[in-house]
């Protein structure tokens, strides 16, 4: 990988990743609506609105790999999700195909499977159970990735990311926490591992309370270093300050499940 594009470069996850990527690739091209500010010597910036195919094509041009973090990163109105995550994701994959990009790592989310109960340990091949319009858009991105891999030969890795940060923030995050350096390990598997055709991997650190079977990631060499249990006391103290959410607490997606819920709770 000589030139790698990172979309969503002004977002929080990119802000945690970029310092860890110094010198990793000869050029890290960043793109977002606005610049993240000061750039390192090995970073460049191209402004791009994901909803605009021409701008996305300019951002992707000349890149060997793409880390697609861009889009709307939480639940939102349909029109917002449609433009940023559905149209935007299609623009990204199509621009990648046309530009001859070899690999795409797509930041999917745990919310693509958020309606699985916490009592179930799920593999990556389960049927998607999105908990929000946002989760639906991530399931769409995973499907789009499979299509571009199978039909057009892109090597695609979808990471169902839990919650990225230096520490797990509450009880739910003890199960889905992902330390930034562990995320980088997964991204590098997607960009560099010789066996990638199309993969879905869970973006989680070494969490004893995990709800996910991430054995495929391990077989590709993933060895997470973050251990959620080292932070249990702090996470549970933070949990005590949160409002009770009996419905959300039954499902892996938490508040994304209870937000606007008027269905029949199962599982
Ligand atoms: C996500 O997908 C979001 O991008 C992030 O903001 C968190 O809400 C995270 O999921 C989570 O589930 O904690």
């Amino acid at each position: 990988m000589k030139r790698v594009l990172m979309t969503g470069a002004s977002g929080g996850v990119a802000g945690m990743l970029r310092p860890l990527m110094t010198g990793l690739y000869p050029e890290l091209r960043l793109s977002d609506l606005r610049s993240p500010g000061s750039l390192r010597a090995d970073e460049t910036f191209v402004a791009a609105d994901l909803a605009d195919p021409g701008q996305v094509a300019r951002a992707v041009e000349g890149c060997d790999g793409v880390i697609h973090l861009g889009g709307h990163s939480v639940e939102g109105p349909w029109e917002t999700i449609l433009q940023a995550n559905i149209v935007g994701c299609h623009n990204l994959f199509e621009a990648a195909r046309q530009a001859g990009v070899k690999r795409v790592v797509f930041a999917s989310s745990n919310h693509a499977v958020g309606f699985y109960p916490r009592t179930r340990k799920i593999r990556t091949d389960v049927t998607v159970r999105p908990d929000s319009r946002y989760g639906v858009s991530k399931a769409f991105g995973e499907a789009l990735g499979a299509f571009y891999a199978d039909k057009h030969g892109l090597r695609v890795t979808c990471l169902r990311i839990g919650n990225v940060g230096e520490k797990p923030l509450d009880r739910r995050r003890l199960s889905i926490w992902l330390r930034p350096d562990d995320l980088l390990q997964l991204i590098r598997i997607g960009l560099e591992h010789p066996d990638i055709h199309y993969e879905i991997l869970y973006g989680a650190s070494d969490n004893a309370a995990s709800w996910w079977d991430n054995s495929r990631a391990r077989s590709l060499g993933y060895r997470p270093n973050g251990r959620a249990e080292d932070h249990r006391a702090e996470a549970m103290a933070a949990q005590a300050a949160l409002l009770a959410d009996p419905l959300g607490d039954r499902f892996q997606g938490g508040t994304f499940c209870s937000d606007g819920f008027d269905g029949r709770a199962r599982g």
Side-chain angles (χ1 to χ4, degrees), residues 31 42 104 136 140 155 160 195 201 230 258 262 267:
S31 103
D42 59 348
V104 174
V136 169
F140 171 82
R155 293 168 183 248
R160 280 186 192 154
D195 296 344
L201 309 175
D230 294 347
S258 50
D262 57 6

Side-chain angles (χ1 to χ4, degrees), residues 22 35 57-58 99 105 121-122 141 149 151 154 176 181 202 236:
T22 309
S35 169
R58 276 193 294 282
V105 176
K121 190 149 193 159
I122 55 172
K151 181 151 270 188
L154 260 78
I176 67 163
D181 58 311
Y202 284 110
M236 291 311 286

Side-chain angles (χ1 to χ4, degrees), residues 73-74 109-111 134 161-163 172-173 176 256:
S73 66
V74 287
S109 167
N110 69 91
H111 296 291
Y134 167 69
I161 296 175
N163 188 249
R172 176 172 164 272
R173 270 57 170 265
I176 67 163
F256 282 63

Side-chain angles (χ1 to χ4, degrees), residues 52 60 74 117-120 131 137 143 175 188 229 250 264 267:
D52 182 321
V60 164
V74 287
R118 296 185 186 187
T119 48
R120 239 184 104 176
D131 57 23
S137 75
S175 298
R188 291 193 67 178
E229 290 307 307
R250 289 168 58 179
R264 282 169 294 122

Side-chain angles (χ1 to χ4, degrees), residues 116-144:
Y116 278 98
R118 296 185 186 187
T119 48
R120 239 184 104 176
K121 190 149 193 159
I122 55 172
R123 303 190 337 176
T124 48
D125 58 358
V126 292
T127 305
V128 290
R129 300 293 291 274
D131 57 23
S132 49
R133 291 175 290 277
Y134 167 69
V136 169
S137 75
K138 292 300 183 179
F140 171 82
E142 292 182 357
L144 203 60

Side-chain angles (χ1 to χ4, degrees), residues 154-174:
L154 260 78
R155 293 168 183 248
V156 178
T157 303
C158 302
L159 302 178
R160 280 186 192 154
I161 296 175
N163 188 249
V164 185
E166 291 306 326
K167 290 175 190 174
L169 298 173
D170 52 27
R171 182 174 51 218
R172 176 172 164 272
R173 270 57 170 265
L174 285 169

Side-chain angles (χ1 to χ4, degrees), residues 45-249:
F45 176 73
V46 177
D49 179 350
L50 288 169
D52 182 321
Q55 292 183 28
V56 177
R58 276 193 294 282
V60 164
E61 195 183 352
C63 290
D64 307 296
V66 176
I67 306 165
H68 184 39
L69 305 177
H72 193 72
S73 66
V74 287
E75 179 62 315
W78 170 242
E79 197 51 39
T80 305
I81 298 288
L82 175 64
Q83 293 306 322
N85 292 12
I86 304 269
V87 174
C89 195
H90 180 262
N91 286 343
L92 188 282
F93 274 104
E94 182 55 19
R97 180 188 74 79
Q98 287 189 19
V101 167
K102 296 180 194 70
R103 295 182 184 236
V104 174
V105 176
F106 169 58
S108 182
S109 167
N110 69 91
H111 296 291
V113 289
F115 262 120
Y116 278 98
R118 296 185 186 187
T119 48
R120 239 184 104 176
K121 190 149 193 159
I122 55 172
R123 303 190 337 176
T124 48
D125 58 358
V126 292
T127 305
V128 290
R129 300 293 291 274
D131 57 23
S132 49
R133 291 175 290 277
Y134 167 69
V136 169
S137 75
K138 292 300 183 179
F140 171 82
E142 292 182 357
L144 203 60
F147 169 68
Y148 275 89
D150 291 338
K151 181 151 270 188
H152 299 300
L154 260 78
R155 293 168 183 248
V156 178
T157 303
C158 302
L159 302 178
R160 280 186 192 154
I161 296 175
N163 188 249
V164 185
E166 291 306 326
K167 290 175 190 174
L169 298 173
D170 52 27
R171 182 174 51 218
R172 176 172 164 272
R173 270 57 170 265
L174 285 169
S175 298
I176 67 163
W177 177 53
L178 177 59
R179 215 170 71 177
D181 58 311
D182 291 336
L183 171 57
L184 182 56
Q185 263 198 61
L186 290 165
I187 288 172
R188 291 193 67 178
I189 288 170
L191 291 178
E192 299 170 30
H193 197 290
D195 296 344
I196 303 294
H197 168 68
Y198 174 74
E199 299 286 346
I200 297 177
L201 309 175
Y202 284 110
S205 286
D206 182 11
N207 304 333
S210 178
W211 303 312
W212 305 328
D213 175 346
N214 215 10
S215 46
R216 178 61 183 150
R218 284 197 79 81
S219 76
L220 292 168
Y222 180 50
R223 297 290 178 270
N225 293 309
R227 288 168 40 94
E229 290 307 307
D230 294 347
H231 307 279
R232 176 167 283 276
E234 219 179 319
M236 291 311 286
Q239 177 70 33
L242 299 178
L243 291 175
D245 182 2
L247 189 281
D249 286 349

